[in-house]
Amino acid sequence: MTTGVIPGEQPPEPRPQGARLPEQRGEPCGPEDPPVDNRTRSSVITARAAASFEPLGRSVATARSFVRDTLQGWGFGDIVDDAVVLTSELVTNAVVHAGTAADVLCLRSDEGVRIEVCDRYPEREIPLQGAAVDMGSPDREGGRGLQLCAALAGRWGVEYTPTRKMVWFQLDLPARPVGTRAAGPALPAELLPLADGRVRVAVVQIDRGGTITAWNEDAEELFGYAPELVVGKPLTDLAAWPHTPGTGTGIAEALRLSRWEGSYGIRGAHGRVIPVYASHLRVRDTGGEPSTVCLLVRDHERAVLQTPLRVPASGDTGAGADGSATDPFEVFIGSPAPDDLDGLLQRTVERARDMLDGDAAFLLLATDDETELEVRASTGLPSARQRFARVPVEAGPGRYGSARMPAVHDDLSATPAAVPLLGGTGMRSVVTVPLKVEGRLTGSLGVAAEAPGRYSNEEALRLQFAADRIALAVESARLGELERLRRGSLSFLVEASDLLAGTLDRDQTLALMAQMTVPTLATWCAVYTIADQASEPYLSYVLHEDEELIDGIKSLLSKIAPPDPVPTPGARVWSAPGEAAHQAALRSSMRSLSLGDSHHRIGSTIGPTLATAAAVGGETVVLPLVARNRVIGMLTLGKPTDDHFRQEILELAEDLSRRAALALDNARLYSERTAISQSLQRSLLPPGLPQIDGVEVDVIYRAAGEGNEVGGDFYDLFPIRDGAYGFAIGDVCGTGPEAAAVTGLARHALRLLAREGYGGPAVLERLNSAILDEGARSRFLTLLYGELWPQEDGSAHLKVVCAGHPLPLRLRQDGSVEPAAEPQPLLGVMEDLELYEQSVVLEPGDVLLCVTDGVTERREGTRMLGDDGLADVLTTCTGLTAGAVAARIMRAVERFASDAPSDDMAILAMRVPELPRD
């Protein structure tokens, strides 16, 4: 996008016109209507702003911002919304539907604002007709631009030429009493105050006693409180008032003043104080009851509410009404907002250039340690290339040797290193002076010209006087900016820490790292990870603010060696991506000229596009990701061609890298621990179920808890000897490693003892002794153990022992359900147990169901499934296979309650198939 703002300039003659639609008001006019009223073009144009937008979808949002910023800068806030809506529709028609670039021109006159939107697709014309044109449904996706113009604009029309179509509309200014208008200068977009994507203005009304009586939706969004939580409470419960020593004004006093404006804090629902900028107005209702209306925005958006300072009239530059001399600072620079550092610096260089009739001017600010100077403003120079670039003051390559004293250079071609900033700009002569506050170097101001020998000591003295006038104001604004940056940095780091602490997933942590840095800290970023000390850095994640360039950057970085994993803290410059981008751009240009690239080979494939090369052609820095005294990766941040990082941004990125490194290492440790845990848990389950001739067996197992594959419940089915099988289902009291240890002990002991020939009671009695031998690590254990013998007649004989476990249920072919065992003492409590086994015969078609208490104790409020509920579900399973029985039981348990199960569940179903009929 290219823009230009020229206050006070008369617009050029209208473009050559082809067929033109009549002026529109309300609805299109027919051929018999009067001629077009062209008064907006013949009126005196007091300012104009123009911009061009590429045929991309995101250009619509950029065009909206351009028009909004322009009209706000002109002080036409009353018509901004209508203008933005109309511009959005017309630019959408151009860049999305017509697929061409769009040119937007804003014209300010004494009658209102005229906005013109041109595209390069004149064939999309509108037929002239006498009847009213049907613009279509308002709900349709496109084609509403002219319909909205007819509804919102005072005048509108369409003009054609052979190469373009232009739609224009005029918005008239609403009548306002004299003296109520306020306007600021037209500023480029980069100099406008920063704000969020949507500015929220909280409206809070306070009654006579200081109690909140109204709380709008924006207040709820900003601070997190619903209206019912704060209405009726004193504002002092939420306000964090900055008590200044020696000042008695508090929040209660400020609310009683007829008008008050300033900063304080509101404690949000999350417990943190949110800095706000507020404007209070004391009002009274029709009954005479006073109250205070408070408008609040985030502190960094204070420009929305802050009352602009009065700009002195042109005749006030000499002396005040009382004869006192005017501030010399205002004589030189005017009256910018005291906290608008960028605006102050830009106005300073422009005034310095004009004062010495130079071709360019620049201003650098010193770092905190005064060892380097950082470019902060320039005019007549490629500022995008130079902004935030740094040069050393005392020593080193490219040092700025004349920063502490006024200096005049007649010809830079003889001493090109004297002012590194001007290298390659064509400037020949330059005068530089220091900015000092209390003898301390705070910056440097310079004016340059293309001709040699332009400046002498007299010009240096004049410029030094000007620098002395503004040095204190610049330093004050710089300190204010640093304080805002620090507050913003703290808020950013707090939010980043919360986000990083909220996940233990490695891939999500990598994505968060990248998304927090782009575009807040950098234009693009890449994250390299190192698995272990013997591994090479691996490119794990790449992100760019333009998603279309991500693949190209990833391709470029994959072709160059990764940065060295140096543990030294701080950001270090990495030149390899910029050099590779330069070579890629060179090869691409040579291919476009059919010159080949035989002398510039980096790879055999076609390199990144020129857009990719430009995206990574600026400064690139690498920050180590160090956690637990080991480099686990690198965070790479990059800027587009010829752009540089601010030192404050690098310091913030360093703080972020430390937090991100710890979060990434925690995610790695959690992943490793989870993998180990799941591996150990899987070892506690049997490797598989044996096939038993004449008996169907199926198991369903669900462990409660995220990431758990095995809990305190367990099951087993194993061959004991020829024709005999052992089965068990149990539940260990408790969770965690201690319960898992008892689970492993029980399962393996059961197999070993059963295969040694012990019967059911003997197996459980010995297992009980083994559990008690664990001492303090022992756990209670409920266990159902049995032995199974399939019979030749199609039945199956079982011997079971139920030690404190839910009783097994037997389902007969006729649908009846009965317990298949009697309860006996659980294991791990008493030393001397006298257990006995019971015999059960499963006839063909019978089912034996064994479950853990996670099934029977499934709850929904005060209701519990219980043994009776389980029996009722089992009665519906007649004729089903063992797998179908287990599945139906599990579905019934899950549907019994809406919440996720809080206990482990195991279901073991055994069924003797029915004999085939003859």
Side-chain angles (χ1 to χ4, degrees):
M1 184 189 77
T2 58
T3 63
V5 180
I6 312 172
E9 182 181 18
Q10 187 72 15
E13 291 300 322
R15 305 177 183 86
Q17 298 177 4
R20 174 187 292 180
L21 275 181
E23 179 180 344
Q24 306 290 330
R25 179 187 293 275
E27 61 183 20
C29 304
E32 303 300 325
D33 290 306
V36 175
D37 182 355
N38 232 2
R39 287 178 295 172
T40 56
R41 281 304 188 95
S42 60
S43 302
V44 175
I45 303 301
T46 58
R48 66 192 299 269
S52 297
F53 302 94
E54 298 177 357
L56 302 173
R58 61 177 179 270
S59 294
V60 179
T62 309
R64 287 197 296 265
S65 300
F66 164 71
V67 172
R68 182 181 298 277
D69 294 341
T70 299
L71 298 190
Q72 291 285 12
W74 289 346
F76 294 161
D78 294 335
I79 60 173
V80 163
D81 292 337
D82 289 348
V84 168
V85 169
L86 295 177
T87 303
S88 179
E89 289 293 332
L90 297 179
V91 173
T92 300
N93 289 340
V95 303
V96 176
H97 301 302
T100 75
D103 299 326
V104 180
L105 175 64
C106 301
L107 300 173
R108 182 181 70 183
S109 69
D110 52 355
E111 295 183 357
V113 173
R114 172 178 171 130
I115 298 179
E116 302 176 356
V117 180
C118 300
D119 64 42
R120 320 290 170 75
Y121 195 1
E123 291 83 358
R124 293 171 58 91
E125 60 184 12
I126 301 174
L128 295 175
Q129 55 188 32
V133 179
D134 182 10
M135 296 290 184
S137 169
D139 298 325
R140 62 182 297 187
E141 180 179 357
R144 297 178 299 173
L146 300 181
Q147 190 176 12
L148 287 172
C149 286
L152 300 178
R155 301 180 183 88
W156 68 279
V158 183
E159 300 178 5
Y160 292 96
T161 71
T163 58
R164 64 169 54 195
K165 171 171 61 67
M166 184 264 285
V167 181
W168 63 269
F169 62 88
Q170 177 172 315
L171 298 174
D172 299 326
L173 296 176
R176 291 184 291 183
V178 176
T180 61
R181 297 187 182 185
L187 296 175
E190 63 270 18
L191 299 182
L192 296 172
L194 292 176
D196 292 345
R198 176 186 171 189
V199 177
R200 297 188 181 275
V201 180
V203 181
V204 183
Q205 192 155 1
I206 313 298
D207 65 11
R208 180 197 296 268
T211 301
I212 300 172
T213 59
W215 186 269
N216 73 339
E217 293 180 358
D218 279 0
E220 182 178 354
E221 288 293 330
L222 283 175
F223 309 120
Y225 300 106
E228 57 268 21
L229 297 178
V230 293
V231 172
K233 294 185 177 180
L235 180 63
T236 53
D237 289 355
L238 305 178
W241 189 263
H243 294 285
T244 303
T247 303
T249 303
I251 182 65
E253 291 77 9
L255 291 174
R256 295 191 188 99
L257 298 175
S258 62
R259 182 179 293 276
W260 184 90
E261 185 173 326
S263 299
Y264 52 91
I266 295 292
R267 188 170 290 101
H270 46 57
R272 295 191 295 271
V273 174
I274 302 170
V276 298
Y277 190 84
S279 176
H280 296 175
L281 178 65
R282 191 77 162 162
V283 298
R284 62 184 176 89
D285 59 19
T286 55
E289 184 66 17
S291 62
T292 304
V293 178
C294 305
L295 305 180
L296 305 99
V297 297
R298 294 183 179 91
D299 191 69
H300 67 272
E301 296 170 339
R302 62 170 57 198
V304 177
L305 299 180
Q306 191 170 35
T307 302
L309 298 178
R310 185 184 71 86
V311 179
S314 58
D316 294 340
T317 57
D322 57 357
S324 59
T326 306
D327 185 355
F329 168 78
E330 293 193 3
V331 174
F332 176 69
I333 203 64
S335 299
D339 58 351
D340 181 15
L341 179 61
D342 288 336
L344 172 60
L345 300 182
Q346 191 62 34
R347 193 177 299 186
T348 298
V349 295
E350 291 172 358
R351 180 59 64 90
R353 177 199 60 188
D354 297 341
M355 184 178 70
L356 298 188
D357 193 23
D359 297 313
F362 54 89
L363 192 148
L364 301 88
L365 293 184
T367 57
D368 292 340
D369 57 6
E370 301 177 13
T371 60
E372 290 183 306
L373 292 172
E374 183 179 62
V375 180
R376 292 301 303 270
S378 65
T379 181
L381 297 174
S383 57
R385 175 172 64 90
Q386 304 291 349
R387 187 166 170 80
F388 300 127
R390 291 195 166 203
V391 292
V393 176
E394 301 295 350
R399 70 185 183 90
Y400 201 123
S402 58
R404 299 188 183 275
M405 296 289 291
V408 176
H409 299 274
D410 291 331
D411 193 349
L412 289 179
S413 62
T415 55
V419 185
L421 175 64
L422 300 180
T425 62
M427 300 297 163
R428 299 283 298 275
S429 56
V430 61
V431 54
T432 62
V433 297
L435 276 68
K436 293 185 178 181
V437 175
E438 297 179 351
R440 181 171 53 86
L441 178 69
T442 61
S444 178
L445 176 63
V447 177
E450 295 180 354
R454 282 281 302 275
Y455 302 114
S456 64
N457 289 338
E458 182 180 352
E459 281 80 9
L461 185 61
R462 291 177 59 198
L463 189 61
Q464 184 66 71
F465 283 156
D468 293 340
R469 292 183 182 125
I470 66 167
L472 185 59
V474 169
E475 180 66 2
S476 176
R478 186 183 74 88
L479 294 177
E481 180 192 65
L482 288 177
E483 181 61 27
R484 289 191 297 274
L485 284 174
R486 290 189 181 99
R487 289 202 303 266
S489 299
L490 289 176
S491 177
F492 172 78
L493 290 175
V494 167
E495 183 178 358
S497 298
D498 289 344
L499 290 173
L500 291 171
T503 179
L504 287 172
D505 181 82
R506 176 183 176 276
D507 293 338
Q508 189 173 0
T509 301
L510 290 171
L512 283 173
M513 291 170 57
Q515 292 166 6
M516 285 185 293
T517 56
V518 175
T520 305
L521 305 181
T523 306
W524 65 272
C525 87
V527 183
Y528 290 84
T529 56
I530 303 174
D532 52 61
Q533 295 181 353
S535 301
E536 290 294 325
Y538 174 74
L539 182 60
S540 299
Y541 203 92
V542 175
L543 184 66
H544 190 281
E545 62 183 8
D546 185 351
E547 294 182 357
E548 297 178 357
L549 299 177
I550 293 177
D551 291 338
I553 296 176
K554 188 180 299 183
S555 174
L556 177 69
L557 294 178
S558 65
K559 292 179 173 63
I560 60 178
D564 296 329
V566 179
T568 305
R572 69 181 193 275
V573 177
W574 185 31
S575 60
E579 294 172 355
H582 175 73
Q583 293 295 329
L586 180 60
R587 290 198 310 271
S588 179
S589 299
M590 294 179 67
R591 280 194 299 270
S592 66
L593 296 173
S594 301
L595 298 177
D597 60 346
S598 58
H599 298 291
H600 301 277
R601 294 187 179 274
I602 294 181
S604 57
T605 60
I606 296 177
T609 64
L610 288 174
T612 302
V616 299
E619 187 175 36
T620 303
V621 297
V622 177
L623 298 106
L625 298 175
V626 181
R628 299 176 175 90
N629 298 320
R630 187 174 73 87
V631 180
I632 63 171
M634 285 87 69
L635 177 63
T636 303
L637 307 180
K639 288 282 190 179
T641 298
D642 295 329
D643 207 350
H644 298 268
F645 285 98
R646 295 188 60 178
Q647 185 62 27
E648 292 82 4
I649 295 297
L650 294 180
E651 293 171 357
L652 181 58
E654 185 178 356
D655 286 338
L656 175 64
S657 68
R658 286 195 291 266
R659 290 165 169 79
L662 187 59
L664 185 60
D665 200 45
N666 287 339
R668 177 188 63 84
L669 293 175
Y670 177 78
S671 299
E672 293 177 356
R673 182 175 180 179
T674 301
I676 294 172
S677 174
Q678 292 177 348
S679 178
L680 292 175
Q681 289 180 59
R682 285 192 294 268
S683 69
L684 301 178
L685 295 178
L689 298 178
Q691 294 292 331
I692 303 177
D693 294 336
V695 178
E696 298 174 1
V697 180
D698 204 347
V699 173
I700 294 179
Y701 185 89
R702 299 282 174 84
E706 183 180 358
N708 292 332
E709 295 191 14
V710 177
D713 294 2
F714 69 95
Y715 67 91
D716 202 359
L717 179 64
F718 54 92
I720 300 175
R721 50 191 173 271
D722 293 341
Y725 295 87
F727 65 91
I729 185 170
D731 185 1
V732 177
C733 176
T735 59
E738 294 83 359
V742 176
T743 299
L745 171 66
R747 195 175 73 80
H748 292 94
L750 286 174
R751 288 196 173 208
L752 178 63
L753 294 171
R755 287 171 176 171
E756 288 294 322
Y758 292 100
V763 168
L764 268 61
E765 290 168 0
R766 284 164 173 76
L767 176 59
N768 180 65
S769 299
I771 294 174
L772 292 175
D773 288 343
E774 293 294 309
R777 297 180 299 177
S778 65
R779 290 288 186 276
F780 303 151
L781 172 64
T782 67
L783 181 64
L784 172 65
Y785 174 75
E787 296 180 356
L788 169 69
W789 289 271
Q791 304 297 311
E792 294 181 357
D793 62 356
S795 64
H797 289 186
L798 293 83
K799 292 183 178 181
V800 296
V801 181
C802 186
H805 200 76
L807 300 180
L809 298 179
R810 175 180 180 180
L811 172 65
R812 296 183 181 274
Q813 277 190 299
D814 59 3
S816 61
V817 175
E818 61 185 9
E822 297 177 354
Q824 300 184 57
L826 74 166
L827 307 182
V829 179
M830 299 179 293
E831 293 185 0
D832 297 327
L833 290 180
E834 295 184 0
L835 302 175
Y836 58 91
E837 60 185 8
Q838 297 173 270
S839 297
V840 179
V841 177
L842 295 181
E843 301 295 339
D846 289 356
V847 175
L848 185 70
L849 178 67
C850 309
V851 300
T852 58
D853 60 4
V855 175
T856 57
E857 295 180 2
R858 176 74 162 147
R859 294 180 180 275
E860 173 69 18
T862 58
R863 299 187 306 120
M864 186 173 71
L865 179 63
D867 296 333
D868 294 338
L870 179 63
D872 292 341
V873 177
L874 186 59
T875 58
T876 66
C877 298
T878 304
L880 299 181
T881 63
V885 171
R888 178 169 292 186
I889 298 297
M890 180 57 72
R891 283 197 302 271
V893 172
E894 291 175 340
R895 293 173 180 174
F896 186 79
S898 58
D899 296 337
S902 59
D903 195 5
D904 306 324
M905 293 186 293
I907 300 174
L908 172 62
M910 293 183 289
R911 177 177 181 269
V912 178
E914 299 178 10
L915 296 175
R917 298 181 180 180
D918 296 334

